[in-house]
Structure formats: C-alpha cells, structure tokens
Amino acid sequence: MQTNVAQLLKAPVGSIRTFPIDDVIEESGTEYQVKGELTLIRSTGSILVQGRLETQAHIDCSRCLKPFTQKIP
C-alpha cells in the first residue's frame, strides 16, 4: 500500500488521517491477507505512523513437519 502524504505534511501539527487496511500481500509465492488500521499523525517536520495489523502465517511444524496456520496479531 502506498499513500500520498503531501497534503498531511501541509496540514497543521496534530492533524490525523486514518486508513483502513484490507489487502493481499504476496511473499515467496504465498498470498497473505492483511487487515487492520493505520493512523498517520502530523508532527513537527515529520509524520508518525501507528497501527495495528493482523495476518496469518502458513508454517511447517518443526517437530512433525505438518503445515499449520498461525494468526499473527
């Protein structure tokens, strides 16, 4: 995901923009659903990004080698 922050950089210090995230990311041939929310806060000379994202990882058990899915908050 990319977002243009030019307008936020022109906004007064303390301005806040919130973006919902619901996207699919591909990594090494595997697709992962990512959901959450990002908050961009204008500070002096910069932008602070805070957020909470969650996804699921597809992992092989190191003990039995069976695949399983682990939620990552």
Side-chain angles (χ1 to χ4, degrees):
M1 179 188 135
Q2 294 182 358
T3 186
N4 187 342
V5 296
Q7 293 301 316
L8 185 56
L9 284 170
K10 295 177 185 177
V13 171
S15 296
I16 298 174
R17 303 286 188 272
T18 303
F19 297 96
I21 305 295
D22 188 1
D23 206 354
V24 175
I25 296 175
E26 184 180 341
E27 177 66 32
S28 302
T30 304
E31 291 185 344
Y32 299 96
Q33 180 73 34
V34 178
K35 293 184 179 186
E37 184 176 88
L38 293 179
T39 302
L40 281 64
I41 305 169
R42 171 71 162 97
S43 61
T44 305
S46 64
I47 296 176
L48 172 65
V49 179
Q50 296 178 327
R52 182 170 291 281
L53 302 173
E54 61 181 49
T55 188
Q56 293 184 354
H58 307 287
I59 306 169
D60 293 330
C61 177
S62 63
R63 188 176 213 185
C64 67
L65 300 178
K66 291 184 181 177
F68 69 97
T69 302
Q70 176 67 43
K71 182 178 176 182
I72 301 174

